[in-house]
């Protein structure tokens, strides 16, 4: 099935030092740019129009996302539910909405970002080309389970043997001539399959059981020691 595909990119790097999101021990604003932050928009037109935005940010809060979808939808004449916002989840992007993090939200950046994303969406829609969409699935070696069962609990630590979703899903957006116009990857380490979620739950239950057994044993020893001390 042929669709119209439009793509646009923009730089969303802040122009001045800002508070960054993603780490709880930061004590100052950013100090320069190691790598620029980018945003992209993908417009798909066919029986229905869809606009997908992706950005080098840690995420969008519900309020910002709802407002941004309304703004983009209004500018393009789409329904808000046809606007999809995604992020790379980098921990080196501005803190621009309320979050339990050091510093304060960078409201000036939030306003500039909002405007930039609307312009980006409009840019993507103004230059569509006819093409098609293909799907592929492979395996990814990136990432590791970070829930390690030890010491009667679950630590935030690497667990190479733990469950993790290794599927690497890719949507290929190609022009009629076969040129790759855009890619959309799903290399999701936060979402695991149902069986793997059950395995993680079992690990946590086992850790709680071990901790409870250890506490019961400690109390039993304390009771025995107290009884022994009370004997004449």
């Amino acid at each position: 099935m042929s669709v119209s595909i439009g793509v646009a990119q923009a730089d969303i790097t802040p122009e001045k030092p800002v508070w960054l999101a993603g780490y709880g021990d930061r004590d100052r604003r950013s100090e320069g740019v190691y790598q620029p932050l980018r945003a992209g928009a993908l417009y798909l037109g066919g029986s229905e129009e869809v606009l997908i935005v992706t950005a080098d940010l840690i995420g969008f809060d519900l309020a910002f996302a709802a407002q941004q979808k309304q703004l983009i939808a209004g500018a393009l004449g789409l329904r808000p539910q046809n606007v999809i916002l995604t992020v790379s989840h980098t921990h080196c992007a501005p803190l621009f909405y309320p979050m339990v993090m050091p510093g304060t939200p960078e409201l000036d950046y939030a306003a500039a970002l909002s405007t930039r994303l609307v312009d980006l969406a409009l840019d993507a829609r103004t230059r569509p080309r006819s093409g098609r969409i293909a799907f592929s699935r492979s395996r990814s070696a990136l990432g590791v389970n970070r829930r390690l069962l030890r010491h009667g609990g679950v630590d935030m630590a690497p667990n190479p043997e733990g469950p993790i979703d290794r599927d690497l899903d890719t949507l290929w957006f190609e022009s009629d001539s076969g040129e790759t116009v855009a890619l959309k990857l799903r290399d999701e380490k936060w979402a695991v399959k149902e069986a793997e979620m059950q395995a993680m739950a079992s690990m946590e239950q086992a850790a709680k059981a071990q901790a409870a057994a250890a506490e019961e044993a400690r109390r039993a020893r304390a009771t025995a020691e107290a009884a022994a001390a009370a004997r004449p």
Side-chain angles (χ1 to χ4, degrees):
M1 179 181 68
S2 180
V3 296
S4 294
I5 304 172
V7 177
Q9 294 185 344
D11 191 312
I12 57 170
T13 308
E15 297 179 351
K16 62 181 181 180
V18 295
W19 285 102
L20 302 179
Y23 293 107
D25 60 351
R26 287 191 170 109
D27 58 4
R28 63 179 71 87
R29 285 183 164 88
S30 58
E31 299 176 343
V33 178
Y34 176 77
Q35 184 173 348
L37 302 177
R38 304 286 295 174
L42 175 65
Y43 165 78
L44 301 175
S47 58
E48 194 162 1
E49 293 179 299
V50 176
L51 194 287
I52 303 174
V53 173
T54 186
D56 284 330
L57 301 168
I58 194 169
F60 295 106
D61 71 334
L62 294 178
F64 186 94
Q67 180 184 37
Q68 196 63 42
K69 292 176 71 170
Q70 288 284 355
L71 291 172
I72 292 175
L76 274 65
L78 303 179
R79 296 183 299 169
Q81 56 264 43
N82 285 24
V83 178
I84 301 171
L85 304 179
T86 67
V87 299
S88 61
H89 194 63
T90 176
H91 285 220
C92 297
L95 171 66
F96 66 99
Y97 59 86
M99 186 184 296
V100 183
M101 287 285 156
T104 55
E106 301 286 353
L107 301 183
D108 289 346
Y109 179 82
L113 174 67
S114 178
T115 301
R116 184 67 58 85
L117 294 183
V118 173
D119 292 343
L120 188 64
L122 287 167
D123 192 17
R125 192 185 185 187
T126 58
R127 38 180 171 176
R129 66 179 79 179
S130 179
R132 57 184 177 271
I133 305 173
F135 171 82
S136 68
R137 170 170 288 171
S138 58
R139 300 287 287 173
S140 170
L142 295 175
V144 65
N145 184 295
R146 296 185 298 167
R147 301 297 186 273
L148 182 62
L149 178 63
R150 65 182 178 185
H151 309 311
V154 179
D155 291 345
M156 179 72 81
N159 180 12
E161 304 304 320
I164 189 170
D165 188 349
R166 293 292 181 191
D167 288 343
L168 176 58
D169 296 343
T170 306
L171 289 175
W172 301 77
F173 302 91
E174 302 173 339
S175 67
D176 287 338
S177 63
E179 177 189 359
T180 298
V181 178
L183 298 175
K184 181 62 178 173
L185 304 179
R186 188 203 71 89
D187 185 18
E188 182 58 78
K189 301 310 179 194
W190 294 97
V192 296
K193 297 176 181 177
E194 182 178 357
E196 295 170 337
M197 292 178 66
Q198 293 175 352
M200 292 178 69
S202 297
M203 290 172 60
E204 293 183 359
Q205 290 175 357
K208 290 179 180 178
Q210 289 182 7
E215 177 62 18
E216 184 176 353
R218 185 193 66 77
R219 291 179 178 177
R221 287 196 301 271
T223 300
E225 290 172 357
R231 295 193 188 101

